Amino acid sequence: MQKAPATCRSFLARLPFLERVIHVRWSGQGVWMPLGDMKFDVPFENATSYPSPGEIILYPGGVSETEILLAYGRVNFASMAGQLAGNHFLTITEGHDRLALVGQKVLWEGAQTIAFEQA
């Protein structure tokens, strides 16, 4: 929360957050939630183009549509408009050994439901 406070507050206000993830098109080993023109009203903070496996980033819109991306492997965050940077606001700290299985499932079986809830 310290490095992306506005993004964390905005996302927490939307919990529970239920979406579907699809495999990224241009970015590498990640899954994403295309959110169209959904407004999070946050600045760029703690932004990266290279999230590590387990890191979740929010692109608040601008050059491309609003989206959330979960890296399960190597990612160079981009869209058809080119390189992007998203706000790293959440990190999966356990189960990294299963992240690639999630990515492969989405790649080969299509969109999957994902839910974020406050514990």
Side-chain angles (χ1 to χ4, degrees):
M1 181 114 166
Q2 293 175 340
K3 294 183 180 179
T7 305
C8 289
R9 279 191 303 273
S10 184
F11 189 73
L12 283 169
R14 289 171 169 76
L15 294 181
F17 191 83
L18 182 67
E19 266 300 328
R20 292 173 51 115
V21 291
I22 58 176
H23 204 274
V24 298
R25 298 177 194 162
W26 299 278
S27 299
Q29 297 173 311
V31 296
W32 67 298
M33 292 156 255
L35 302 174
D37 60 0
M38 182 183 286
K39 300 292 182 212
F40 280 81
D41 297 319
V42 297
F44 285 96
E45 53 184 4
N46 197 34
T48 182
S49 296
Y50 303 99
S52 296
E55 292 183 350
I56 299 173
I57 60 175
L58 166 75
Y59 179 73
V63 175
S64 187
E65 69 182 296
T66 301
E67 63 184 90
I68 294 175
L69 178 142
L70 163 59
Y72 70 84
R74 296 179 77 166
V75 168
N76 180 358
F77 185 43
S79 74
M80 64 189 322
Q83 180 119 4
L84 300 173
N87 298 349
H88 171 210
F89 73 100
L90 187 61
T91 303
I92 296 171
T93 58
E94 297 177 7
H96 279 232
D97 57 321
R98 296 188 305 269
L99 286 174
L101 296 174
V102 171
Q104 290 169 5
K105 182 175 183 76
V106 173
L107 179 63
W108 292 104
E109 296 179 22
Q112 302 292 314
T113 301
I114 187 168
F116 295 87
E117 300 173 339
Q118 193 158 3

